[in-house]
Amino acid sequence: MADTQALAGLANMLLSGAVEVVDLSAVLGPNTPLLKLPPELAVDTPKIEIHKISAYDENGPWWAWNWLKVGEHSGTHFDAPHHWITGRDYPDGATDTIVPQNFVAPVNVIDCSAEAAADNDFLLTADAVKAWEADHGEIQPGEWVVMRTDWYKRNKSEDAFLNADETGPHSPGPTAECIQYLVDKGVVGWGTECIGTDAGQAGGMEIPFPAHNLMHKNNRYGLASLCHLDKLPPKGAILIAAPLKIENGTGSPIRALALVPKQ
Ligand code: 23J
Ligand code: MN
């Protein structure tokens, strides 16, 4: 049975500020950094556009509103299983068919900020996750796992965020065995502060884009371009990451929120 007293306690802590709501989303607009794929491989997602319909003017005297042109995988966003070929057949794998219970879960925050600063191509390994668990406690089934790198601090500049040179983009991410370890733990999803859930160089890995390939193959989710993971404790916060209910959607921009007990 549900502990209604605990929920009443949470309600009070939200009202008093003892539990803070931390915004993990970046601003979504024409300056949002977007993924660039090799042109010989793929077509890119289009630049975001915000078009005015009216602003208390002759097109609508008492109201303001806009319409948007925005790809599903833009800015702080959710990757549904249908995004990847390995997850295409799950009946509950699109933005409109995922059970909403899965959008809200405890979050494990693995701090890789020092490693990512020292090596932009840093890869989180399964052994490093096991060492993190020895320090902070085991990752439980149904939980989110996110990789803190402080990479969001670069998101005002697409060049800095993508960090590409003649050898391609350079940004941190997970190894394939790391993702398989998390899948075996039963996590609901994996998130990062970078443009995608995979490392910049992940297209050339033995399994290309292993976070996408393996998470979605197992009907799990991805979160990309998260912000402010430096404001979260390693354990103890609750992450809310719900995509728009796009029909047959493969992903969606989100307002990612964390409920965090105040220190
Ligand atoms: C398509 C192809 C490769 C990648 C991605 C999309 C993403 O990162 C994404 O937004 O899901 S790496
Ligand atoms: Mn995506």
Side-chain angles (χ1 to χ4, degrees), residues 72-74 77-79 83 195-197 212 222 224 250-251:
E72 292 174 325
H73 298 261
S74 302
H77 75 270
F78 185 101
D79 289 350
H83 178 43
I195 195 85
T197 56
H212 288 82
T250 71

Side-chain angles (χ1 to χ4, degrees), residues 46-137:
K47 294 301 288 180
I48 296 171
E49 297 175 14
I50 302 178
H51 294 272
K52 188 187 302 177
I53 304 171
S54 74
Y56 333 109
D57 55 21
E58 67 280 6
N59 294 321
W62 304 318
W63 56 87
W65 53 357
N66 305 313
W67 67 270
L68 309 180
K69 176 171 169 177
V70 57
E72 292 174 325
H73 298 261
S74 302
T76 305
H77 75 270
F78 185 101
D79 289 350
H82 280 202
H83 178 43
W84 219 254
I85 189 167
T86 50
R88 64 192 289 174
D89 293 328
Y90 287 108
D92 58 348
T95 48
D96 56 340
T97 57
I98 295 169
V99 294
Q101 195 87 17
N102 290 354
F103 299 143
V104 183
V107 60
N108 300 272
V109 183
I110 302 180
D111 182 4
C112 304
S113 55
E115 294 88 339
D119 174 10
N120 292 167
D121 292 311
F122 171 74
L123 296 179
L124 181 65
T125 63
D127 281 345
V129 174
K130 290 172 196 168
W132 181 93
E133 288 183 294
D135 287 345
H136 300 285

